[in-house]
């Protein structure tokens, strides 16, 4: 079924030609029923015509250049063996508009990203400029605060880096934690043993793990203690050495809990603290331990603070629109 092309602009300010030397990659570049080309046309207001291994892009000069860079970047990712999907297309389009350090709205997306994380099941590359900075911090700094709304990859990328360091032997264990705080609900009594009681709060961490490792390896490593998933209360009194430690939903910690957690840091360890300061579920008017810690520690040597915005949302595009509706434009 042929795609329904975007309406060709009557007065094109610019016309650019692209030619690709590996025609076997064009199916992945165009997408099923040319859906990737349609997405680029709709987002950038350009017209794209494909003839064999050649593309012609017509539209306003800036948008045509962005479309060219997006297509080149996606093609180069395919040439490196990476897969692209609708989310990757949206992410590269968004990155093409991000300002450089000079304030010029031109971000070079034509080359594959240099930052990447390899796990047993997939190779993960950044989908926004902020994710690039985050992945660099994950590989470099001792303590990383990752702040921002849902869908920006804060926890997912932290788990990916943790799994990478575990399977390469950089650390001996993974410790994944969350505060067991109910999100505006009263769940009442939960049946079962301790693990069954806390598992509902920790489910997102399990989901990320199963996306990085085969399920049998996850279960085996949990059984052996290489991977530990526990509420933050279980961290008290411990020193976490040779470990990659992740605290998720950190906005729901108290100041005392956050101080206790951060002071568990041991030799050859790394800590990542993830949370959305705008989604605090603490009862009463308690101060979020995340906000307090960032105010005290931002700028300290060895500690990185990465702030994600609505434009960094990499889930389904509607998630970004939902966040904007609640929080306003980025």
């Amino acid at each position: 079924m042929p795609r329904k092309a975007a309406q060709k602009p009557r007065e094109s300010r610019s016309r650019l030609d692209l030619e690709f030397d590996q025609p076997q990659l064009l199916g992945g570049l165009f997408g099923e029923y040319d859906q990737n080309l349609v997405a680029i046309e709709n987002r950038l207001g350009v017209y794209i015509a494909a003839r064999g291994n050649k593309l012609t892009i017509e539209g306003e000069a800036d948008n045509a250049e962005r479309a060219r860079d997006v297509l080149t970047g996606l093609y180069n990712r395919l040439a490196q063996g990476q897969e692209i999907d609708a989310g990757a297309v949206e992410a590269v389009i968004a990155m093409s508009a991000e300002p450089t350090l000079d304030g010029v709205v031109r971000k070079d997306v034509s080359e594959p990203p240099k930052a990447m994380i390899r796990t047993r099941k997939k190779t993960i590359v950044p989908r926004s400029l902020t994710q690039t900075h985050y992945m660099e911090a994950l590989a470099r700094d001792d303590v990383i605060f990752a702040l921002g709304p849902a869908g920006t990859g804060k926890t997912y990328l932290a788990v990916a880096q943790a799994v990478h360091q575990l399977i390469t032997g950089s650390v001996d264990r993974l410790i994944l934690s969350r505060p067991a705080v109910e999100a505006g609900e009263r769940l009442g009594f939960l049946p079962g043993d301790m693990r069954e009681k806390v598992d509902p709060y920790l489910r997102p961490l399990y989901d990320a793990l199963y996306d990085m490792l085969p399920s049998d390896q996850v279960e085996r490593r949990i059984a052996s203690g290489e991977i530990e998933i526990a509420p933050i209360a279980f961290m008290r009194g411990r020193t976490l050495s040779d470990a990659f430690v992740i605290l998720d939903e950190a906005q729901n910690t108290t100041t005392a809990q956050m101080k206790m957690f951060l002071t568990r840091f041991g030799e050859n360890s790394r800590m990542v603290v993830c949370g959305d300061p705008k989604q605090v579920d603490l009862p009463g008017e308690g101060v979020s331990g995340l906000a307090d810690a960032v105010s005290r520690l931002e700028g300290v040597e060895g500690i990185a603070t990465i702030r994600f915005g609505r434009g960094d949302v990499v889930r389904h595009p509607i998630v970004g629109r939902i966040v904007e509706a609640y929080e306003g434009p980025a």
Side-chain angles (χ1 to χ4, degrees):
M1 176 179 177
R3 70 185 176 99
K4 183 179 179 181
Q7 185 177 0
K8 184 174 180 178
R10 295 179 181 177
E11 297 181 1
S12 299
R13 298 185 183 179
S14 181
R15 175 180 175 133
L16 301 175
D17 294 319
L18 270 177
E19 184 172 352
F20 300 104
D21 56 6
Q22 298 185 62
Q24 70 274 18
L25 299 179
L26 297 185
L29 178 64
F30 295 174
E32 188 175 8
Y33 302 128
D34 291 351
Q35 63 182 6
N36 295 344
L37 299 185
V38 172
I40 295 169
E41 288 179 327
N42 291 339
R43 285 288 305 276
L44 298 180
V46 298
Y47 172 78
I48 303 172
R51 297 178 184 84
N53 66 331
K54 297 180 180 179
L55 292 180
T56 299
I57 306 166
E58 296 184 19
E60 293 186 3
D62 286 347
N63 289 344
E65 290 176 8
R66 282 180 62 192
R68 177 198 59 199
D69 292 346
V70 167
L71 286 163
T72 303
L74 292 171
Y75 174 83
N76 288 339
R77 285 160 172 75
L78 289 168
Q80 279 202 344
Q82 301 173 20
E83 296 182 358
I84 62 173
D85 54 17
V89 174
E90 289 287 334
V92 175
I93 292 171
M95 289 177 72
S96 73
E98 290 180 334
T100 66
L101 292 176
D102 298 327
V104 181
V105 184
R106 295 297 305 160
K107 174 71 180 76
D108 184 9
V109 295
S110 61
E111 294 300 322
K114 294 180 176 62
M116 60 179 62
I117 301 171
R118 299 184 187 277
T119 68
R120 287 278 189 262
K121 294 179 71 173
K122 60 176 61 177
T123 297
I124 298 159
V125 297
R127 291 191 169 189
S128 74
L129 183 59
T130 309
Q131 281 197 356
T132 300
H133 296 156
Y134 183 40
M135 290 170 68
E136 291 170 349
L138 287 171
R140 179 189 65 229
D141 294 299
D142 295 324
V143 178
I144 302 99
F145 290 101
L147 316 176
T152 51
K154 303 184 302 295
T155 304
Y156 188 83
L157 291 176
V159 173
Q161 180 68 21
V163 169
H164 170 74
Q165 293 200 203
L166 180 67
I167 63 180
T168 58
S170 299
V171 297
D172 294 335
R173 53 185 174 152
L174 270 55
I175 301 174
L176 313 178
S177 185
R178 291 178 68 161
V181 174
E182 297 165 348
E185 303 173 75
R186 290 291 178 265
L187 301 180
F189 173 76
L190 294 175
D193 60 21
M194 181 57 69
R195 176 173 173 175
E196 291 170 328
K197 290 178 187 292
V198 302
D199 269 3
Y201 298 102
L202 305 171
R203 195 72 247 168
L205 297 173
Y206 284 101
D207 292 342
L209 275 176
Y210 284 116
D211 215 24
M212 310 295 170
L213 289 170
S215 57
D216 60 327
Q217 287 196 30
V218 174
E219 296 301 327
R220 175 172 56 81
R221 291 174 186 271
I222 289 176
S224 69
E226 287 181 85
I227 298 177
E228 178 182 349
I229 305 177
I232 191 172
F234 285 31
M235 301 297 110
R236 188 173 298 279
R238 304 173 61 183
T239 299
L240 306 176
S241 302
D242 298 302
F244 198 112
V245 189
I246 300 172
L247 176 61
D248 194 25
E249 298 294 331
Q251 74 274 6
N252 290 327
T253 60
T254 64
T255 300
Q257 284 177 321
M258 180 60 74
K259 179 182 177 183
M260 177 273 293
F261 176 80
L262 292 173
T263 53
R264 301 307 93 199
F265 192 89
E267 292 291 331
N268 189 37
S269 290
R270 181 156 297 153
M271 279 187 170
V272 184
V273 180
C274 306
D276 182 356
K278 297 183 179 180
Q279 293 289 330
V280 178
D281 298 310
L282 290 171
E285 300 296 327
V287 176
S288 168
L290 176 62
D292 178 73
V294 170
S295 69
R296 294 173 184 270
L297 299 174
E298 187 167 11
V300 172
E301 184 179 357
I303 298 177
T305 302
I306 306 295
R307 288 182 170 84
F308 293 89
R310 180 191 58 79
D312 297 303
V313 172
V314 294
R315 291 182 187 169
H316 192 286
I318 200 170
V319 176
R321 295 194 286 271
I322 290 171
V323 172
E324 180 179 2
Y326 275 92
E327 300 182 4

